[in-house]
Amino acid sequence: MEKTLLEQYRPIAEQVVQTAREMITKGLAYGVAGNVSARLPDNRGLLITPSGKNYGKLTAEDLCFVDWQGQVLEGSPRPSSELAIHTATYQARPDCRGVVHTHSTFACALAVTRTAIPVFIDELMYVTGGPVRVAEYGFPGSPELAQNLVGALTDVQAALMANHGVIGLGDDLAEALHVCEVVEKISEVYINALKVGPIFELEGWVIERQRKAFLAKKARQRGQ
Ligand code: 13P
């Protein structure tokens, strides 16, 4: 008998569950907010958290296997309502293997004021590869939101979604979650720094050098 998709992809499914739980325990989302997905290793689609599920009780059996056309192949019949932003991100970024969408507090404060995070602190470049832009507003779950988002994510690992939240991506789920964590921390620094005084953005030559270091790190990770 042919194996189910869950039987074939159990390790990656467990990683999605673990990442969704950590997103909550790290305070990056709460209740049923946020969602997590992973590209299937053979690229036949993605594995995503179901809509409206309490992540404390999430198991691998609750996840949805979805193909690139958005058809559910197996698992819960109700994938995350934000399926479109996950699918569009994987299609626009062939390097991306994990996506985490959070509603963390400081990053959301920037998202609702539509304030991008400039490159003002060394850590940002090394983690996101550049500034964190704000994708134009799109109704939650809509193709417009997905299109606006991929426009903000062309060459970086994170973006804010106007009046909504954060998206972080990575070569794996651990990186995608780390990106969301760092964006939240740096959003907090940015908001506090704005109260203290003018912010000095990093100079062009510094940004250029750090971007090179970021790309070199990525190439090493990918064994290129
Ligand atoms: P889902 O439960 O449908 O994934 O929606 C949560 C969310 O955060 C929407 O932005």
Side-chain angles (χ1 to χ4, degrees):
M1 208 170 70
E2 209 193 321
K3 281 185 170 179
T4 65
L5 293 176
L6 184 56
E7 283 165 344
Q8 290 174 55
Y9 299 109
R10 172 70 73 172
I12 187 90
E14 295 298 348
Q15 280 176 35
V16 171
V17 171
Q18 178 65 22
T19 305
R21 293 218 184 112
E22 279 183 44
M23 174 177 79
I24 302 293
T25 55
K26 287 176 184 289
L28 298 172
Y30 44 87
V32 299
N35 29 70
V36 175
S37 71
R39 189 193 290 271
L40 292 177
D42 58 7
N43 203 29
R44 65 200 275 193
L46 64 150
L47 183 53
I48 190 163
T49 46
S51 188
K53 179 86 187 174
N54 182 319
Y55 293 121
K57 298 195 180 113
L58 187 72
T59 68
E61 281 69 21
D62 298 318
L63 301 177
C64 315
F65 290 86
V66 185
D67 69 15
W68 295 123
Q69 283 70 48
Q71 293 303 311
V72 175
L73 303 171
E74 189 184 298
S76 161
R78 238 160 60 89
S80 167
S81 55
E82 295 296 359
L83 177 64
I85 61 174
H86 291 256
T87 311
T89 301
Y90 291 114
Q91 282 171 337
R93 290 284 302 268
D95 58 309
C96 170
R97 308 198 75 81
V99 174
V100 176
H101 162 53
T102 69
H103 290 184
S104 60
T105 309
F106 289 99
C108 278
L110 295 178
V112 299
T113 52
R114 302 189 183 182
T115 308
I117 308 176
V119 183
F120 73 102
I121 189 164
D122 291 331
E123 190 184 4
L124 188 65
M125 275 309 286
Y126 292 116
V127 174
T128 63
V132 182
R133 306 179 184 104
V134 185
E136 266 182 50
Y137 185 79
F139 196 81
S142 67
E144 291 73 34
L145 175 59
Q147 274 326 301
N148 296 345
L149 185 61
V150 296
L153 273 175
T154 45
D155 51 353
V156 288
Q157 304 298 91
L160 300 174
M161 293 147 69
N163 304 81
H164 188 147
V166 186
I167 189 152
L169 53 99
D171 287 15
D172 55 26
L173 280 168
E175 182 186 353
L177 186 66
H178 180 63
V179 165
C180 290
E181 228 181 327
V182 170
V183 168
E184 175 60 4
K185 206 70 219 157
I186 287 178
S187 299
E188 184 177 1
V189 173
Y190 190 48
I191 290 167
N192 278 294
L194 286 170
K195 295 178 202 156
V196 178
I199 287 174
F200 296 88
E201 290 181 26
L202 294 179
E203 288 181 47
W205 71 268
V206 178
I207 295 176
E208 219 168 280
R209 212 161 133 183
Q210 290 181 343
R211 174 81 188 166
K212 272 194 194 142
F214 169 80
L215 293 175
K217 180 186 75 174
K218 282 267 147 246
R220 270 197 313 279
Q221 281 171 351
R222 294 171 189 156
Q224 291 162 353

